[in-house]
Amino acid sequence: MTRIDDIRQALACGEPVDVPVWELEFHLWDAFAGRRLMLGHEFVGLTAAEQERALHVNAEIMAGVATELGFAAVTAPGGYWEHAPGVPAYFWLPDPARDEQIRLLARLAEGRFLVAAESGGVLCMPGAADYLDFSYRLFDAPEQVDEQARATLRQGVERARILRELGAELLFTASDIADNHGVFFNPEQMERFILPYLREWTGEVKTLGGWSVLHSDGNLDACVEALADSGLCALQAIDPVAGMDMRAVKQRVAGRLCLCGNVDCGLLITGTPDQVRAATARLLADCAPGGGLVLGASNAVQPDVPVANYRAMLAAWQAYDQGRPDGNERQTR
């Protein structure tokens, strides 16, 4: 069984031969490759010829590191950080370079790993700039929110079709619907503005032959059952900062929803390699049996994660797959 077989099995809530690894966003490509990805504003500043060459180099770097570290899927740079106010965003590419990067990565990925990409499709809670206005519209002008949800779905489905044609197989919508206090939308709003569109988006992704994943930060305890019954393949994050307990969630949705994560991002940054290795080993021991688990960080792997800490996470994963409980490091596969 290949790594691609493993992640497909896990996404189908089965138990693969080896637990697959996938990161929603991995910002350590440069650190592991010793070569620099050209992304974000740095990429935009290149000439057309330099951009074309950079996309080929980017694909080679990502494919090489993914193979070295044993990733079962790789997320291509998206576009959702491009206009984030006040954020020194890096992991994005402008159109049409974004699509060309996905196509090149998919070509190199064949038989080695899946390509993951963000399609959108599901409404999310508002950002700071729109928070008050959106919150008022939920109650004062719900029909406007209906139209926003429909437009988000239409755009997400069309984007999913394009991504599948480019070679992406694992499609996710980065749609935060909760914060640390709980689900942003009340139950009636979830039934009106979120869940019907999530069901339709996941159905469209399935029809296209892809795997659907919802990423959401925050505490989703109140709606986990609804997510598991939506047709969604997987949920990514299972946010420990918001009090989400991966083990409890696994018990509630086992066999219905694959879980992706959830090694604490904070621990990856501030912990020691021994602490990261121990936490990963506990997570695997508790949540891998029975399948339906894709190992990774609880959110993005930030640029300031020490390489030694990420290697410690992989060491615990490799030890688990080899049936060794000690988590001692060996050479990366």
Side-chain angles (χ1 to χ4, degrees):
M1 182 175 283
T2 67
R3 296 200 185 282
I4 290 180
D5 293 328
D6 284 335
I7 194 167
R8 287 173 178 157
Q9 183 79 359
L11 290 168
C13 293
E15 188 163 14
V17 173
D18 293 333
V19 175
V21 174
W22 167 57
E23 299 294 356
L24 180 78
E25 283 190 15
F26 186 69
H27 293 182
L28 297 181
W29 299 110
D30 298 0
F32 278 98
R35 304 164 68 193
R36 182 162 177 76
L37 285 182
M38 296 296 290
L39 299 171
H41 295 291
E42 188 174 4
F43 178 88
V44 172
L46 300 176
T47 67
E50 289 170 336
Q51 287 183 354
E52 182 179 359
R53 181 175 150 202
L55 293 176
H56 283 269
V57 173
N58 286 350
E60 291 170 3
I61 289 172
M62 296 176 78
V65 172
T67 301
E68 175 197 348
L69 300 185
F71 289 171
V74 172
T75 301
Y80 44 86
W81 290 116
E82 183 173 356
H83 303 295
V87 178
Y90 164 64
F91 200 70
W92 62 270
L93 282 169
D95 283 329
R98 186 183 314 146
D99 286 358
E100 178 64 8
Q101 186 71 91
I102 293 169
R103 187 184 67 80
L104 291 170
L105 187 59
R107 180 188 299 169
L108 292 180
E110 188 172 0
R112 297 156 69 184
F113 53 85
L114 301 184
V115 174
E118 206 270 343
S119 74
V122 181
L123 200 64
C124 62
M125 60 185 292
D130 191 39
Y131 195 90
L132 283 178
D133 179 65
F134 183 86
S135 298
Y136 280 122
R137 280 190 286 121
L138 283 171
F139 295 95
D140 297 338
E143 68 284 350
Q144 294 181 13
V145 182
D146 286 331
E147 180 51 40
Q148 185 177 349
R150 285 193 290 268
T152 301
L153 175 65
R154 287 195 299 269
Q155 294 163 6
V157 169
E158 179 57 30
R159 182 64 182 154
R161 291 194 182 104
I162 293 170
L163 291 171
R164 286 293 291 129
E165 290 172 0
L166 291 169
E169 185 173 337
L170 195 161
L171 306 181
F172 66 94
T173 178
S175 304
D176 290 343
I177 57 174
D179 58 21
N180 288 356
H181 303 289
V183 179
F184 174 81
F185 302 92
N186 67 35
E188 292 77 16
Q189 292 163 351
M190 284 290 292
E191 288 295 337
R192 178 169 179 173
F193 305 126
I194 304 299
L195 293 174
Y197 301 98
L198 178 63
R199 288 191 284 266
E200 189 165 347
W201 175 75
T202 58
E204 291 288 345
V205 171
K206 183 177 181 179
T207 298
L208 292 169
W211 300 92
S212 58
V213 181
L214 169 68
H215 161 78
S216 177
D217 297 337
N219 192 312
L220 299 167
D221 277 338
C223 67
V224 162
E225 298 288 346
L227 297 179
D229 292 336
S230 69
L232 187 68
C233 294
L235 176 65
Q236 195 278 339
I238 330 296
D239 192 349
V241 175
M244 294 287 287
D245 185 329
M246 186 79 148
R247 294 149 185 84
V249 176
K250 174 73 184 290
Q251 290 178 354
R252 293 172 64 185
V253 304
R256 295 185 292 154
L257 184 65
C258 174
L259 302 180
C260 304
N262 79 332
V263 179
D264 193 319
C265 290
L267 180 66
L268 283 171
I269 294 173
T270 64
T272 66
D274 284 345
Q275 290 171 329
V276 171
R277 185 182 295 110
T280 305
R282 288 193 301 271
L283 174 68
L284 288 165
D286 292 342
C287 296
L293 175 70
V294 176
L295 181 67
S298 63
N299 204 303
V301 178
Q302 300 291 342
D304 45 356
V305 170
V307 167
N309 280 3
Y310 198 77
R311 286 198 181 277
M313 188 194 94
L314 295 180
W317 161 63
Q318 292 161 351
Y320 179 84
D321 280 345
Q322 290 183 335
R324 295 205 322 266
D326 54 14
N328 289 328
E329 189 168 5
R330 69 173 178 87
Q331 290 296 314
T332 305
R333 290 186 279 201

